[in-house]
Amino acid sequence: MANIRDLAKEAGVSVATVSRVLNGYPYVSEEKRKAVWEAAQKLQYVKNIQAVHLAKGRTAIVGVMLPYIHHPYFSAVIEGISKEALRYGYQLLLFQTNYEVERELEALERLRMKQMDGLIVCSHEVDWEAFAAYQEDGPIVLCEQVERYDFFTVYIDHYQAFVQALRYLIKKGHRRIGYCIGRMTGPNSQARAGAYQDVLREVGVLPRRQWVFDGCLFLEDGKRVMEQWIAMEERPSALLVTSDQVAAGIVLHARRIGVRIPDELAVIGFDNDPLAEMLGITTVALPHFTLGERAFRLLHHWLETGRVARKQEELPARLLVRDTA
Amino acid sequence: MANIRDLAKEAGVSVATVSRVLNGYPYVSEEKRKAVWEAAQKLQYVKNIQAVHLAKGRTAIVGVMLPYIHHPYFSAVIEGISKEALRYGYQLLLFQTNYEVERELEALERLRMKQMDGLIVCSHEVDWEAFAAYQEDGPIVLCEQVERYDFFTVYIDHYQAFVQALRYLIKKGHRRIGYCIGRMTGPNSQARAGAYQDVLREVGVLPRRQWVFDGCLFLEDGKRVMEQWIAMEERPSALLVTSDQVAAGIVLHARRIGVRIPDELAVIGFDNDPLAEMLGITTVALPHFTLGERAFRLLHHWLETGRVARKQEELPARLLVRDTA
DNA sequence: TTGTACGCGTTATCAT
DNA sequence: ATGATAACGCGTACAA
């Protein structure tokens, strides 16, 4: 494998001139420029990108931390990130964590080791303190609302999104309201739990723990929820479901077992997944793709200019009323 | 940022010894070992991974080329790859191509530049010749059946899978059979087209071009297909649909507009997506997750040992009969 | 416009 | 066991 020293020798110039030609810098005579390109051709020269990274101290690589990929939510976010990364000539290094703290810390260590220029965190388990500890190692963008820390964040106000949906249900006369959620930890889930408590209290209704369904991520979970629901002595009359996949599972299984929706059970999903549209599921549209896009742009702008208009960016959520609530 | 030279000075040893300690090599006195670790602690030493990559000539990074991520098929494959990569301490560098040849070539160039140790190609547009041209730059694993070239491949025999489904339909008495496909190019699509031609000819039926629906990737496409179907003068009585998402779109829209499935239209999907199970869609189960897993393992085994049991691996597909055909 | 020489941070080799 | 020194390959002040 030829390197620039070999090229220099072959072309009869210095390595500096080779570098200048290869990277399109001015102040090189047409003659030598040509000689270098010819030498490159002849010796089948290929740049070693690792050496470039080491010499420049930058990689044009952005890390993406996320628990899993095979989920409509995360794959939408990463698609948004990817689109922008492509546009600006950046590459994406994947850190799948399965929400294991150890893996999350590994990703942060990689940032510290300068494997990438920055990191986008789609979701995580580890405390915010951990991110704070790595802030000087490179820009980190979180895809969630963060309090008490001055992180870069792009987020959806899940509290307001939940309030919006809950108010709608209450206005429709519902009082026995439950919800399905992916996992109980994490700021998004906390925000939703808070909204649930607050709004129900406003109308003097006691929140019930058994009407909160945890571990709802995929279509199949909707079926499970429906089976639990049908077996209950006291059933909620309405469910907020933080994933349209799960909502679809509920609606489809309800049809199968003859539960009338929304009469017996009203359902509001989240995401505005194509599946929700197809099934006529009332949903809170969440801009996942845009979230990824903006997260990358924020990071990119910081990397290129060293400053940003604002470190936090909020994205809107809006209720789309269809047939299920 | 302290480097190993700083550590060497601080600990009063040579850089070689520092490196030995840091990487756990033997032949270092307990005393110096301790001194190095203390120096590392004191100077907050962090390894620069770029320098390691350059020095070792390897990165423990594997590239993944795929057209888009936000699709059940590809996100399943990548999940399989990712799981195995995690297990063996490798990282994944994403190359989203949108099936643009230029981007695909860019990924191959990156392999040549030694940015990664190997490349897994989930799907592509560019000719096989292109891959052949990069074979010496690092192992490339293709996720499709390849003829005439001696590539590493892990694949599903889509010809047989299609034959299987077609024979089933024919046995059920269908003669007017069409199919939906993601795109017309690509070896998988070619294999399917071949199977379609061959099997129909076997039973003396002419394949019809207007019963082949192209561009079928997402749920919404199923709706479109159903609308086209209903508008046809001569309609197929059965459809093979190479994505359960699309099949689901067909089935759901059929329900809505009152088309009886399978009586008026039989549908066989592909993938065995959870959605297909939930909707009772007859489908050909395809092991996408396993495909990714095996692709990585093949690559990994080659990288670590320089040889493999066999360069090609075929994965089975099997028909799951449910209610739609 | 061009070249020299050094820096980037680590690993590997060889001599002791 | 340990150290000096040479790779690894490129970018870039600085001098000319």
Side-chain angles (χ1 to χ4, degrees), chain B residues 257-277:
Chain B
I257 62 178
V259 171
R260 282 169 300 116
I261 288 182
D263 304 333
E264 297 179 69
L265 176 66
V267 171
I268 296 184
F270 281 74
D271 292 345
N272 194 24
D273 194 297
L275 191 51
E277 188 188 349

Side-chain angles (χ1 to χ4, degrees), chain A residues 238-300:
Chain A
L239 281 179
L240 254 50
V241 185
T242 60
S243 153
D244 276 336
Q245 288 288 311
V246 179
I250 291 175
V251 167
L252 289 172
H253 196 62
R255 281 189 192 169
R256 194 144 58 177
I257 62 179
V259 171
R260 284 170 297 118
I261 285 182
D263 304 335
E264 297 179 69
L265 177 65
V267 171
I268 296 183
F270 281 74
D271 292 345
N272 195 25
D273 194 297
L275 192 51
E277 188 186 351
M278 180 127 284
L279 291 171
I281 295 175
T282 296
T283 192
V284 179
L286 302 181
H288 299 311
F289 182 86
T290 307
L291 185 69
E293 236 179 30
R294 298 296 167 80
F296 182 86
R297 274 192 216 164
L298 189 61
L299 190 62
H300 179 257

Side-chain angles (χ1 to χ4, degrees), chain A residues 173-178 205 208 211 234-239 264:
Chain A
H174 291 280
R175 288 299 178 274
R176 295 172 294 121
I177 301 174
V205 177
R208 301 209 202 178
W211 287 353
E234 284 191 293
R235 297 170 183 157
S237 68
L239 281 179
E264 297 179 69

Side-chain angles (χ1 to χ4, degrees), chain B residues 37-187:
Chain B
W37 281 121
E38 279 171 0
Q41 194 86 37
K42 182 175 171 194
L43 302 184
Q44 304 243 53
Y45 171 77
V46 179
K47 195 184 277 226
N48 182 320
I49 203 80
Q50 299 169 9
V52 176
H53 289 168
L54 177 59
K56 297 179 87 142
R58 305 194 327 111
T59 59
I61 293 175
V62 165
V64 178
M65 183 198 291
L66 76 184
Y68 16 71
I69 302 154
H70 187 53
H71 185 279
Y73 168 79
F74 291 110
S75 69
V77 174
I78 202 177
E79 183 90 19
I81 297 173
S82 178
K83 188 194 135 217
E84 290 299 290
L86 225 51
R87 183 170 154 189
Y88 293 106
Y90 274 68
Q91 297 186 276
L92 261 34
L93 193 62
L94 229 50
F95 290 91
Q96 181 173 348
T97 64
N98 304 319
Y99 281 129
E100 292 165 33
V101 169
E102 204 177 341
R103 297 203 185 285
E104 297 179 352
L105 293 176
E106 164 70 12
L108 289 165
E109 277 301 321
R110 292 290 175 152
L111 179 66
R112 180 164 278 175
M113 293 189 225
K114 301 196 176 302
Q115 183 163 26
M116 55 230 184
D117 297 340
L119 178 64
I120 296 175
V121 178
C122 299
S123 186
H124 64 95
E125 182 68 36
V126 78
D127 292 337
W128 283 329
E129 276 81 26
F131 295 107
Y134 287 87
Q135 265 190 307
E136 310 201 335
D137 300 309
I140 300 174
V141 176
L142 300 182
C143 296
E144 69 194 12
Q145 193 163 11
V146 178
E147 288 149 20
R148 295 206 321 275
Y149 287 95
D150 188 35
F151 293 144
F152 294 106
T153 61
V154 180
Y155 63 93
I156 294 159
D157 187 344
H158 286 287
Y159 184 92
Q160 272 310 322
F162 235 58
V163 168
Q164 211 176 131
L166 285 164
R167 291 247 167 86
Y168 175 82
L169 288 174
I170 286 166
K171 196 169 128 200
K172 283 269 190 169
H174 291 280
R175 288 299 177 272
R176 295 174 292 122
I177 302 174
Y179 71 95
C180 305
I181 196 141
R183 52 181 197 136
M184 299 304 284
T185 57

Side-chain angles (χ1 to χ4, degrees), chain A residues 183-256:
Chain A
R183 51 180 200 140
M184 298 303 283
T185 58
N188 292 348
S189 303
Q190 294 294 325
R192 286 154 168 165
Y196 180 65
Q197 306 271 340
D198 294 350
V199 174
L200 289 202
R201 289 226 173 99
E202 263 178 31
V203 292
V205 177
L206 273 184
R208 301 209 202 178
R209 287 201 64 111
Q210 67 269 36
W211 287 353
V212 178
F213 302 83
D214 193 15
C216 294
L217 287 165
F218 302 100
L219 199 69
E220 310 87 283
D221 297 316
K223 183 178 172 186
R224 174 175 54 78
V225 167
M226 206 55 222
E227 280 164 354
Q228 287 182 242
W229 181 87
I230 202 91
M232 282 180 164
E233 297 251 326
E234 284 191 293
R235 297 170 183 157
S237 68
L239 281 179
L240 254 50
V241 185
T242 60
S243 153
D244 276 336
Q245 288 288 311
V246 179
I250 291 175
V251 167
L252 289 172
H253 196 62
R255 281 189 192 169
R256 194 144 58 177

